[in-house]
């Protein structure tokens, strides 16, 4: 079945550590996105990529980094510079162009700093 | 830039009744799309319905309909015949059609369906 796979589902990080969240899609979508969700805040855009080897910062990119070496993969690294990384992280993908371009989402990764 | 406002943090509805979730938006783009997503407690985001800014008719998908009032910049979601399984967070989102811009989300409304 086509879809988006995020792993792991739960992740615990010690303060000062970098951690990488995985996102893989087999929908042949060009665009991929990372969102952060906090209670009462909705979804906020961290980074997005419209094509391989290119990506743009979203509204809250500080303390995060990404890469897009393959069309299928868009990993997110939460660095030690991110002051409050505990949150629910959602990866999404979509087609590009002028059609509807609805976003398909993964199941999410819940990151907790311990 | 686009902005989505959802003013109802929480809503209650009796089972089998209809409920309207409010969404207003702001954009300077002449062509855009409006989306509603459902997020159950499991965390996954489920696409419900889409409305294009130039669509002449309001979108409908089963029990979901979108009350689109372009002049008022509102895109309210109407759920008819509510079911217990409709209890979830609901997010309104939009995207400009130009420039391959990402979806911008509102803060969501938590709907609770009461038996």
């Amino acid at each position: 079945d086509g879809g988006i796979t995020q792993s792991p589902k739960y992740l615990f990080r010690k303060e000062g550590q970098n951690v990488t969240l995985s996102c893989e899609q087999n929908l042949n979508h060009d665009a991929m996105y990372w969102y952060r969700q906090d209670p009462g805040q909705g979804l906020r855009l961290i980074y997005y990529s419209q094509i391989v080897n290119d990506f743009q910062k979203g509204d809250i990119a500080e303390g995060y980094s990404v890469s897009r070496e393959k069309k299928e993969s868009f990993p997110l690294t939460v660095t030690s510079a991110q002051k409050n990384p505990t949150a629910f992280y959602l990866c999404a993908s979509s087609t590009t162009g002028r059609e509807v371009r609805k976003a398909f989402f993964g199941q999410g990764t819940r990151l907790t700093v311990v | 830039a686009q902005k989505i406002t959802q003013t109802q943090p929480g809503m209650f509805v009796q089972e089998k009744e209809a409920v309207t979730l409010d969404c207003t938006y702001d954009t300077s783009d002449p062509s855009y799309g409006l989306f509603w997503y459902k997020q159950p407690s499991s965390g996954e985001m489920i696409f419900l319905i889409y409305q294009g800014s130039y669509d002449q008719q309001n979108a409908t998908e089963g029990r979901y309909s979108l009350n689109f009032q372009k002049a008022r910049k509102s895109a309210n979601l109407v759920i008819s015949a509510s079911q217990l399984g409709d209890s979830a967070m609901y997010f309104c989102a939009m995207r400009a059609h130009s420039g391959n811009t990402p979806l911008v989300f509102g803060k969501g409304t938590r709907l609770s369906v009461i038996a």
Side-chain angles (χ1 to χ4, degrees):
Chain A
D1 288 337
I4 300 179
T5 302
Q6 288 187 243
S7 61
K9 189 172 182 180
Y10 298 96
L11 186 57
F12 297 89
R13 188 195 95 170
K14 292 183 179 179
E15 296 218 13
Q17 282 184 339
N18 292 355
V19 290
T20 297
L21 282 59
S22 170
C23 179
E24 303 275 335
Q25 56 101 356
N26 60 3
L27 299 167
N28 200 33
H29 286 165
D30 287 312
M32 297 186 74
Y33 314 86
W34 275 105
Y35 290 90
R36 170 178 170 146
Q37 185 178 14
D38 297 280
Q41 291 290 325
L43 277 70
R44 292 183 291 168
L45 182 67
I46 305 173
Y47 269 99
Y48 65 104
S49 167
Q50 297 174 19
I51 196 168
V52 174
N53 292 322
D54 189 39
F55 48 83
Q56 288 79 41
K57 292 182 179 180
D59 301 318
I60 55 166
E62 185 176 351
Y64 299 97
S65 66
V66 293
S67 63
R68 187 87 186 277
E69 297 176 1
K70 298 186 302 181
K71 187 175 185 178
E72 301 80 17
S73 179
F74 191 40
L76 173 74
T77 297
V78 185
T79 74
S80 56
Q82 171 48 236
K83 296 285 187 278
N84 184 20
T86 295
F88 187 56
Y89 292 86
L90 283 159
C91 178
S93 71
S94 75
T95 57
T96 56
R98 289 188 61 82
E99 67 274 22
V100 174
R101 291 186 287 129
K102 73 179 183 185
F104 293 79
F105 283 83
Q107 301 276 15
T109 293
R110 191 167 298 279
L111 173 63
T112 303
V113 173
V114 297
Chain B
Q2 294 90 44
K3 184 178 179 182
I4 295 283
T5 302
Q6 295 180 254
T7 57
Q8 305 156 313
M11 291 278 288
F12 289 89
V13 64
Q14 202 76 32
E15 195 177 8
K16 300 180 185 177
E17 297 292 314
V19 62
T20 298
L21 306 184
D22 294 341
C23 172
T24 58
Y25 62 91
D26 191 24
T27 182
S28 56
D29 289 278
S31 180
Y32 48 88
L34 295 152
F35 302 77
W36 277 92
Y37 283 83
K38 172 184 178 180
Q39 187 182 45
S41 56
S42 59
E44 63 187 305
M45 295 286 284
I46 302 168
F47 168 76
L48 295 178
I49 196 167
Y50 166 83
Q51 177 84 42
S53 59
Y54 286 105
D55 291 344
Q56 296 296 317
Q57 306 226 351
N58 286 345
T60 60
E61 290 284 351
R63 294 187 299 112
Y64 304 108
S65 60
L66 203 152
N67 183 1
F68 180 48
Q69 298 187 46
K70 192 171 181 178
R72 300 179 65 179
K73 292 190 174 180
S74 74
N76 299 339
L77 177 70
V78 180
I79 305 174
S80 62
S82 297
Q83 303 171 357
L84 294 177
D86 293 335
S87 294
M89 283 292 290
Y90 288 81
F91 291 97
C92 181
M94 75 175 301
R95 184 206 304 266
H97 284 160
S98 63
N100 284 323
T101 55
L103 279 173
V104 174
F105 285 84
K107 293 188 176 183
T109 295
R110 181 172 297 281
L111 178 67
S112 299
V113 181
I114 305 167

